[in-house]
């Protein structure tokens, strides 16, 4: 079963359930049923992505791996961190992939300067605070997707830009491309304005998955970039040095599963172990080297994230091909 939204009608589902019940009663083999469904026992789980290629892939990988363990996983797409965080706390979804630095600054509203020096300590503090919000933070994947700004080679050369402070001095002549959430969140454009004096002539506000299109169309000079963006190697762009170290602030941007604690508590011990172990196996395979080619296939080749995630899981030995 794939994590696409199920299209069975209520009547068809009722017939299917009735048929399954009659078959089970006829054979009287409960152990066989358990083996068929796996450790997940058919438990339903809804996983959200945040509307961009990397998040599509990770959410699909989580869902398909859980399906392989007998869970009944669906994927839904949400538009922002704020929406996803509210949805998981309200029980509208059960889990979604988040980033440690985003959780630290945007969700918890903590000062980046107060963050511990190590990635491990940062995640541990996030996990402890999430517990008090009715959420469980499972261990993160190895890859790190930090915030960055990239500008075209032409803009860099014309304005002698090397650092973000240089960009601040030149920004009034330049156009920026970014998604709407970046324009208001604590670790986004407000930070760039406050700390580096960056105030662009204009901002092209686009969907997060389309941030590079204004660059490609010649309508923007700089773009909000992620450390795992394959576009950085495809376009004539230069990553701008964070000379103050304030933009990234030493924060980790490893992805980790945010899970409703109420959802986990509703599982049996066997189901919970299977759920956590399965997501742990997926995360362990999501290295920097693994994730970038997958994102490239979605963004450049327009391949289906669901198909890509399935192939990734098979090649990693997490699911059968």
């Amino acid at each position: 079963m794939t994590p696409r939204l199920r299209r069975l009608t209520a009547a068809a589902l009722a017939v299917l359930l009735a048929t399954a019940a009659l078959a089970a009663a006829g054979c009287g083999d409960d152990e066989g049923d358990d083996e068929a469904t796996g450790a997940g026992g058919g438990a339903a789980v809804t996983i959200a992505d945040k509307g961009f290629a990397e998040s599509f892939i990770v959410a699909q990988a989580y869902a398909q791996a859980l399906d392989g363990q007998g869970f009944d996983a669906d994927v839904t797409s949400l538009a922002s961190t704020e929406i996803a965080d509210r949805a998981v706390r309200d029980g509208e979804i059960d889990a979604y992939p988040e980033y440690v630095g985003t959780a630290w600054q945007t969700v918890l509203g903590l000062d980046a300067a107060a963050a511990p020096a190590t990635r491990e300590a940062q995640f541990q503090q996030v996990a402890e605070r999430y517990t008090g919000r009715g959420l469980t933070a499972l261990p993160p994947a190895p890859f790190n997707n930090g915030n960055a700004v990239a500008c075209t080679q032409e803009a860099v050369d014309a304005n002698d830009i090397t650092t973000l402070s240089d960009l601040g001095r030149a920004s009034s002549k330049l156009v920026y491309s970014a998604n709407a959430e970046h324009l208001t969140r604590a670790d986004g454009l407000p930070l760039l304005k406050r700390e580096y004096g960056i105030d662009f002539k204009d901002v092209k506000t686009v969907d997060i998955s389309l941030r590079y299109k204004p660059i490609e169309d010649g309508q923007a000079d700089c773009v909000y970039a992620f450390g795992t963006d394959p576009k950085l190697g495809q376009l004539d762009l230069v990553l701008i040095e964070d000379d103050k170290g304030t933009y990234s602030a030493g924060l980790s941007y490893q992805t980790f599963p945010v899970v409703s604690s109420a959802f986990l508590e509703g599982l049996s011990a066997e189901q919970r172990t299977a759920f956590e172990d399965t997501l742990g196996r997926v995360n362990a395979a999501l290295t920097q080297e693994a994730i970038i080619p997958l994102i490239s296939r979605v963004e450049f080749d327009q391949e289906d994230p669901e198909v890509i995630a399935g192939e990734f899981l098979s090649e990693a030995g997490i699911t059968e091909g």
Side-chain angles (χ1 to χ4, degrees):
M1 181 181 296
T2 71
R4 286 187 183 280
L5 292 177
R6 278 59 174 173
R7 297 181 176 87
L8 290 175
T9 64
L13 182 57
V15 170
L16 180 61
L17 292 173
T19 303
L22 287 172
C27 67
D29 187 2
D30 291 338
E31 291 184 3
D33 289 344
D34 289 341
E35 290 174 2
T37 57
V45 53
T46 299
I47 296 174
D49 63 59
K50 294 203 293 181
F52 56 96
E54 183 173 291
S55 191
F56 292 151
I57 294 164
V58 175
Q60 286 286 346
Y62 287 170
Q64 291 184 45
L66 289 169
D67 272 344
Q69 292 298 312
F71 290 88
D72 184 15
D74 282 333
V75 175
T76 188
S77 193
L78 300 178
S80 70
T81 296
E82 180 182 9
I83 293 171
D85 175 66
R86 184 170 61 247
V88 75
R89 286 186 290 116
D90 290 348
E92 296 171 5
I93 61 172
D94 302 307
Y96 79 99
E98 187 53 274
Y99 298 90
V100 176
T102 302
W104 185 275
Q105 292 193 109
T106 304
V107 177
L108 298 173
L110 300 175
D111 185 352
T118 68
R119 293 179 180 181
E120 294 79 10
Q122 289 173 23
F123 172 73
Q124 187 59 40
Q125 289 197 22
V126 166
E128 290 171 358
R129 285 170 169 80
Y130 267 43
T131 298
R133 304 173 74 244
L135 302 173
T136 298
L138 299 181
F143 79 86
N144 191 46
N145 190 9
N147 289 331
V149 175
C151 297
T152 63
Q153 187 70 58
E154 180 180 359
V156 166
D157 292 342
N159 297 280
D160 195 23
I161 300 170
T162 300
T163 67
L164 289 177
S165 293
D166 294 335
L167 180 59
R169 290 187 285 273
S171 58
S172 63
K173 298 179 284 184
L174 302 173
V175 177
Y176 191 48
S177 174
N179 59 300
E181 184 182 9
H182 171 73
L183 305 183
T184 58
R185 57 187 276 172
D187 61 348
L189 190 56
L191 184 152
L192 292 172
K193 287 182 177 179
R194 182 180 68 251
E195 298 294 335
Y196 302 90
I198 294 172
D199 189 9
F200 290 104
K201 177 176 67 175
D202 190 20
V203 175
K204 299 292 184 183
T205 305
V206 295
D207 183 86
I208 193 168
S209 64
L210 300 175
R211 288 169 295 118
Y212 287 91
K213 193 172 188 310
I215 295 285
E216 294 173 310
D217 293 344
Q219 297 178 351
D221 306 290
C222 301
V223 60
Y224 169 42
F226 299 152
T228 57
D229 284 347
K231 286 280 188 184
L232 295 173
Q234 298 288 324
L235 300 175
D236 193 19
L237 290 169
V238 178
L239 277 174
I240 308 305
E241 177 188 341
D242 183 359
D243 52 312
K244 294 182 179 181
T246 305
Y247 187 33
S248 60
L251 285 173
S252 163
Y253 280 86
Q254 293 174 278
T255 195
F256 68 98
V258 176
V259 188
S260 162
S261 297
F263 166 77
L264 288 176
E265 290 163 4
L267 300 176
S268 69
E270 181 183 14
Q271 287 172 326
R272 179 165 182 167
T273 297
F275 183 90
E276 295 182 358
D277 287 353
T278 299
L279 296 195
R281 290 186 67 197
V282 174
N283 274 348
L286 286 171
T287 63
Q288 203 87 4
E289 295 75 18
I291 193 69
I292 292 176
L294 303 182
I295 299 169
S296 178
R297 290 173 61 187
V298 174
E299 293 191 347
F300 297 157
D301 303 328
Q302 301 299 303
E303 294 185 47
D304 187 341
E306 183 176 350
V307 173
I308 292 171
E311 292 176 359
F312 160 74
L313 293 173
S314 178
E315 291 170 4
I318 296 170
T319 61
E320 296 182 3

